[in-house]
Amino acid sequence: MLVYYGPDGEFINNPSNEFLKEILNKDSVYWNQGGGDSSLFIEEETYRLIFFKDEEHGFFIMRHPDHVAPFNPDIEVYTVHHDIGGEPMATPSSSYVGLADAEKIILEFATKGSIENVQEWKDIYEIIDFDS
């Protein structure tokens, strides 16, 4: 079963594509509440898709536990911070995508349980220095 876990801590079983589209269109008030991120996962699986929206940069999407995210080499790389569970999480600027791409990635995961259409994914630990 597909499960959506929202920043407010709510679990939604088998969310529809329309529900997921509505979530992606929510404003910063939604994304800054509670834990600050959302995820999609399939029960009994060890991987999940973690995502959140930053008003300035767009959507950060990461496959967990391997920490890979979309990577755009044409975007200047710098560190963007987003509060996750009350702590700032460092994320690479080059891994943010717009609404159309976020919708495509998230709906593909929701439908197929995997991501196949992203051109280039990269380990976020290879993009920015988390120790600085």
Side-chain angles (χ1 to χ4, degrees):
M1 169 180 11
L2 181 71
V3 179
Y4 170 76
Y5 178 69
D8 56 1
E10 183 177 15
F11 287 93
I12 305 293
N13 294 330
N14 294 317
S16 69
N17 285 354
E18 287 307 310
F19 172 84
L20 294 171
K21 288 178 186 179
E22 287 175 20
I23 292 297
L24 294 175
N25 281 297
K26 297 225 181 240
D27 64 17
S28 61
V29 171
Y30 178 79
W31 296 101
N32 290 328
Q33 66 179 325
D37 67 333
S38 291
S39 64
L40 278 177
F41 61 94
I42 299 168
E43 281 189 339
E44 313 286 324
E45 295 292 342
T46 59
Y47 58 89
R48 65 184 58 229
L49 200 64
I50 296 171
F51 58 98
F52 56 81
K53 181 179 180 181
D54 178 276
E55 290 292 334
E56 183 179 345
H57 297 93
F59 291 89
F60 178 78
I61 302 172
M62 179 178 71
R63 194 173 58 206
H64 188 272
D66 53 359
H67 300 100
V68 295
F71 176 73
N72 184 342
D74 298 328
I75 294 178
E76 176 189 356
V77 177
Y78 56 90
T79 302
V80 176
H81 289 93
H82 180 82
D83 282 345
I84 302 292
E87 296 291 324
M89 176 183 170
T91 57
S93 58
S94 57
S95 292
Y96 283 80
V97 298
L99 176 60
D101 287 336
E103 187 174 289
K104 186 175 180 181
I105 292 166
I106 288 167
L107 293 182
E108 180 176 356
F109 185 87
T111 303
K112 297 180 180 179
S114 65
I115 306 287
E116 299 170 4
N117 67 347
V118 176
Q119 293 292 331
E120 187 176 342
W121 289 74
K122 197 167 185 177
D123 185 324
I124 62 171
Y125 289 95
E126 295 175 7
I127 302 171
I128 59 174
D129 181 8
F130 285 85
D131 294 327
S132 61

